[in-house]
Amino acid sequence: MSAETDTQTTTVYRVTGMTCGHCEGAVTSELTALPGVSSVKAVAATGEVTVVSAAPLTEDDVRAAVDEAGYAYAGRA
């Protein structure tokens, strides 16, 4: 899912392996470090991560950030 406004893009990604708040924090930290990202909300219970950014992120950048956090990127929700 992706929605674009005049100034921001909101995209929901699926991440597997998150089981707790610490997991959510690790994924949030890595994705927040990407250029243009203004907010990240990771939910371990659903495996969904909502990212708000100035422009759409590349799949490779998202995959690399999630991998760096120690989890598996499973695509867009």
Side-chain angles (χ1 to χ4, degrees):
M1 180 175 108
S2 184
E4 294 186 34
T5 65
D6 289 338
T7 58
Q8 296 183 325
T9 298
T10 301
T11 309
V12 180
Y13 300 100
R14 290 187 318 268
V15 175
T16 59
M18 295 188 300
T19 59
C20 65
H22 174 74
C23 300
E24 294 169 348
V27 170
T28 297
S29 178
E30 290 297 331
L31 288 169
T32 300
L34 293 176
V37 172
S38 57
S39 74
V40 177
K41 179 177 169 102
V43 180
T46 63
E48 291 187 346
V49 180
T50 303
V51 178
V52 179
S53 56
L57 302 175
T58 68
E59 297 281 319
D60 288 342
D61 285 347
V62 174
R63 185 181 312 280
V66 170
D67 185 58
E68 184 66 28
Y71 302 94
Y73 172 70
R76 291 185 178 188

